[in-house]
Amino acid sequence: MGRKFVRKTKNGQTPPDVMLRAVREVKLHNKSIRGMAKEFQINYRTLARYCNKISPAEVAGDGIFPSLPVGYLKNRSVFSEEQENHLAEYIITASDIYFGLSPIEVRKLAYMYAVHNNVAVRTNWAEKKMAGADWFSGFLKRHPSLSIRTPEATSLSRATAFNKHNVDQFFDNLEEVMGRHQLWKVITLYS
């Protein structure tokens, strides 16, 4: 199965408020289902189904949106949007403090996060104690600001033009912290 779905039809894209208005026209004003379906540009069988599904109390009420979902439901996802954002923030924070995570580490972290939050995980996650490659691929697509790859070495001898800035910044921060806490004296005592 492809990892990127491309919609081929416009089915299931009727806004919920439009659906409720069409149902109200049919139920309250006794208009025909086919006539209202044509007027609101909805498939007549879909409108008939929602005329049966939506309760009479809701039709008579003054709500704007129906209580039940309209259209196709999103695929079952492991984490809620809030949990995924929290996980992405953690990964960015770890990267900012020079503790970048590799793809395998992110997948293991996702599994541990799911277990900690009592989220139902797929069986292959539980067997391997890490998230699947498809989940990871989708996670990166949902969070394009993340750049997760195997961390590079930060020693002076291996500094390249690409990560020289990060290396210099790391050693500047190290020098500042060691100076602030006078760690140079401790190091010279033990050497």
Side-chain angles (χ1 to χ4, degrees), residues 104 107-112 115 121-134:
I104 297 291
R107 290 168 58 191
K108 287 179 181 177
L109 176 69
Y111 172 74
M112 290 187 294
V115 170
V121 294
R122 297 181 173 110
T123 54
N124 66 332
W125 285 34
E127 290 169 3
K128 297 180 181 178
K129 304 285 188 215
M130 70 175 161
D134 284 344

Side-chain angles (χ1 to χ4, degrees), residues 22-80:
V23 169
R24 283 182 176 151
E25 287 291 323
V26 170
K27 294 279 192 160
L28 298 178
H29 301 286
N30 294 325
K31 296 194 176 178
S32 73
I33 291 176
R34 282 187 187 260
M36 288 299 97
K38 193 171 194 175
E39 184 178 322
F40 286 96
Q41 298 177 346
I42 305 170
N43 181 291
Y44 79 96
R45 288 304 309 149
T46 303
L47 182 56
R49 184 173 61 250
Y50 279 97
C51 284
N52 292 333
K53 277 185 174 182
I54 296 178
S55 67
E58 192 171 0
V59 171
D62 58 353
I64 298 172
F65 297 104
S67 60
L68 56 106
V70 175
Y72 294 113
L73 297 177
K74 191 176 175 183
N75 285 341
R76 183 178 68 100
S77 56
V78 177
F79 297 111
S80 67

Side-chain angles (χ1 to χ4, degrees), residues 15 20 35 78 83 113 125 132 141 147 159 166 171:
L20 187 57
V78 177
Q83 289 172 327
Y113 187 63
W125 285 34
K141 286 179 184 175
S147 175
N166 288 346
F171 283 109

Side-chain angles (χ1 to χ4, degrees), residues 19 35 37 106 173 175:
M19 184 66 72
V106 170
N173 290 343
E175 185 177 335

